[in-house]
Amino acid sequence: MERKFINVILLGFGFMFVFTAFQTMGNIEKTILDSIKQDDSSFTGDGYTSLAIIYATLAICNWMAPSVITITGPRGAMLIGAVTYLFFIVTFLFPRTWLLYVASVLIGAGAAAIWTGQGNYLTLNSDGETISRNSGVFWAMLQCSLFFGNLFVFIKFQGKSHIDLHTRNVVFGVLTAVCALGIIFLMMLRPTRRNIDDVKNEMTLKEEGPMEAFRGAIRLFCTGDMMLLSAAFIYTGVELSFFSGVYSPSIGFTLAMGENAKQLVGLSGVFIGLGEVLGGALFGILGSKTTRWGRDPIVIMGYLIHMTSFFLIFINLPNLAPFGDTTDTSYITPSPYLAMLCSFLLGFGDACYNTQIYSILGGKYADNSTSAFALFKFTQSLAAAACFFYSSRAPLSVQLGVLAVIGTAGTAAFCRVEWAARSVARAAARAALAPLAPGEKPASREVEDSLHYD
């Protein structure tokens, strides 16, 4: 197995374990904190507020992430970020309102470092032929975190209408150990064997310094293609916050689901994870074929899947489900089976979007991947934070309407950038095939390479 692909596998294991802890906590945080409030009247922490703080801080700190990478390198940045995830999980063993929000700020800053470092490290270990494969493999491994963590929660919450102190501490303790295991895998990441261009780019970044890296990120953000891609980034942030922090708790709050409604919170996370893993594995296996066919068919498929799931959620869950326990029903009697199907569709559709965004950023912006991935996470996180802020006030129908509108705009914007890239690649191919004028030298690149656009 090639060295760079081994690095991608180690990266996937590291993120799988770290985010088994965090994504499981994000999925159950609202439910857990409501149980803590019932046991301790002095605790007033709110799950939606905590998640909103995390993503707002992440959005702000993403502007500084490229500068941090120039100092620490991608591996150092990921380790620093992973430690903040560990701290966040540990604080749940000692529930204090102020500590919850302080940890939320710290993990937001750490998330900016770990995700920007991840994007840069994945790009350094990929090329134009392997970026789609590596993005799919990494995404599938990452989303295994949703499957394993929430399956554990499903078992622990079985038959419980209230999550007691002992159960909470067992869950927090296990998730802390799993996060620590992920940090060990990140420590095993090896330096990338770089080509001459990589070395030159790194030397240039170090010479320019952190401030120039910051200014470079702003310049990139103002380009036409990046502005269009930002619409897709925004949608991934809004739908991320919905399926990771709103949808599963809403199932648990729908008492018409039956006496095991709380247990369904963990099971929903399992089905989201199954969709994510299947999507990531599928697009990883397809690998370079997705580049040949174009990324737009996969994104459009994700759009159609998400629109279908939004409609089914609308008719299945009551409008007040995001706010707490309710006996209301919607247009049909709430069905646990339909709810789990929607969880799977949300996960699979999310994999469609994210694998192709990773692919286009790693290909189109290979020479400036640090800034490109930082801008992706900035825009995505800002949108996620905004969604969590209004999630505590907006009924389910409003949230689904916002998702449908932003999803339509984001998909159209992504396809426009993809189609423009394809047009440029085809023009270059035609130019390379044109007969040479007397004395003209052939193009330095091969025709076949020009057909495989980034």
Side-chain angles (χ1 to χ4, degrees):
M1 188 181 297
E2 60 178 310
R3 179 189 178 95
K4 288 188 175 182
F5 190 60
I6 292 175
N7 285 342
V8 172
I9 297 298
L10 289 173
L11 183 69
F13 274 117
F15 272 67
M16 181 179 73
F17 288 117
V18 169
F19 283 88
T20 290
F22 175 69
Q23 293 198 108
T24 304
M25 278 303 310
N27 194 44
I28 66 174
E29 185 173 358
K30 178 67 175 177
T31 305
I32 285 286
L33 294 185
D34 282 358
S35 294
I36 293 176
K37 288 178 185 178
Q38 295 175 27
D39 294 343
D40 182 1
S41 59
S42 66
F43 183 82
T44 58
D46 178 73
Y48 290 154
T49 302
S50 168
L51 291 166
I53 291 172
I54 290 172
Y55 285 101
T57 306
L58 170 56
I60 294 170
C61 291
N62 262 309
W63 287 105
M64 297 178 283
S67 302
V68 173
I69 297 294
T70 64
I71 300 171
T72 65
R75 293 185 302 152
M78 286 188 286
L79 280 174
I80 293 171
V83 170
T84 66
Y85 280 79
L86 181 64
F87 176 73
F88 178 77
I89 302 299
V90 169
T91 60
F92 281 85
L93 291 166
F94 313 96
R96 301 288 186 277
T97 303
W98 66 269
L99 186 59
L100 170 69
Y101 294 142
V102 168
S104 299
V105 172
L106 290 177
I107 195 176
I114 196 172
W115 279 110
T116 304
Q118 176 271 331
N120 182 230
Y121 191 76
L122 183 68
T123 301
L124 289 174
N125 285 278
S126 307
D127 54 36
E129 291 295 319
T130 62
I131 184 63
S132 292
R133 180 202 67 185
N134 290 349
S135 297
V137 169
F138 170 78
W139 191 256
M141 295 184 70
L142 168 66
Q143 297 308 330
C144 283
S145 60
L146 281 170
F147 177 76
F148 295 122
N150 286 292
L151 183 60
F152 169 67
V153 168
F154 171 73
I155 295 171
K156 291 301 297 181
F157 285 9
Q158 191 167 9
K160 295 181 181 292
S161 59
H162 172 76
I163 313 304
D164 58 87
L165 176 62
H166 173 72
T167 302
R168 295 197 302 263
N169 286 344
V170 169
V171 171
F172 301 152
V174 170
L175 295 182
T176 297
V178 170
C179 186
L181 180 60
I183 293 176
I184 293 173
F185 271 98
L186 292 179
M187 293 174 66
M188 294 167 62
L189 291 175
R190 295 172 294 181
T192 305
R193 289 181 179 175
R194 299 153 295 174
N195 57 35
I196 295 175
D197 289 337
D198 291 331
V199 176
K200 288 181 178 178
N201 288 337
E202 184 177 290
M203 292 176 64
T204 301
L205 282 173
K206 289 183 176 180
E207 290 173 0
E208 291 173 344
M211 283 307 299
E212 183 55 35
F214 174 73
R215 287 191 288 268
I218 294 178
R219 287 194 296 269
L220 179 61
F221 186 70
C222 294
T223 60
D225 282 352
M226 185 58 74
M227 293 290 284
L228 283 171
L229 288 174
S230 293
F233 300 164
I234 289 171
Y235 175 62
T236 62
V238 176
E239 55 101 359
L240 166 69
S241 61
F242 178 75
F243 80 72
S244 66
V246 177
Y247 178 62
S248 295
S250 295
I251 295 174
F253 291 143
T254 304
L255 301 182
M257 288 281 183
E259 58 184 25
N260 290 326
K262 293 291 186 287
Q263 187 181 6
L264 293 175
V265 175
L267 190 60
S268 172
V270 170
F271 276 92
I272 292 172
L274 285 174
E276 295 275 16
V277 172
L278 179 61
L282 177 62
F283 305 135
I285 292 171
L286 291 176
S288 60
K289 292 182 180 179
T290 61
T291 306
R292 292 173 183 265
W293 297 336
R295 303 175 180 96
D296 48 302
I298 296 174
V299 169
I300 291 172
M301 178 173 65
Y303 169 76
L304 295 175
I305 289 172
H306 271 180
M307 293 304 115
T308 301
S309 67
F310 297 155
F311 173 74
L312 295 176
I313 291 168
F314 175 71
I315 65 174
N316 192 43
L317 296 186
N319 209 26
L320 299 180
F323 305 142
D325 289 345
T326 177
T327 57
D328 292 353
T329 59
S330 187
Y331 292 91
I332 63 173
T333 302
S335 167
Y337 299 103
L338 186 58
M340 296 307 105
L341 172 63
C342 291
S343 297
F344 176 82
L345 295 178
L346 288 173
F348 190 87
D350 183 65
C352 291
Y353 280 96
N354 278 279
T355 55
Q356 301 317 298
I357 286 175
Y358 271 75
S359 178
I360 200 170
L361 292 182
K364 186 177 179 65
Y365 301 102
D367 59 343
N368 198 9
S369 61
T370 301
S371 295
F373 280 95
L375 293 174
F376 166 44
K377 281 299 172 181
F378 160 73
T379 312
Q380 183 187 62
S381 304
L382 192 64
C387 182
F388 279 122
F389 273 119
Y390 71 67
S391 292
S392 59
R393 300 172 179 83
L396 185 62
S397 59
V398 173
Q399 297 193 42
L400 292 173
V402 170
L403 283 163
V405 172
I406 297 177
T408 301
T411 302
F414 182 96
C415 290
R416 181 173 178 179
V417 174
E418 178 72 359
W419 294 338
R422 188 180 306 166
S423 177
V424 170
R426 287 173 177 169
R430 285 193 297 268
L433 288 169
L436 297 176
E440 183 180 359
K441 295 182 179 180
S444 58
R445 66 176 180 272
E446 297 179 358
V447 175
E448 181 68 16
D449 290 337
S450 68
L451 291 172
H452 299 166
Y453 62 90
D454 288 334

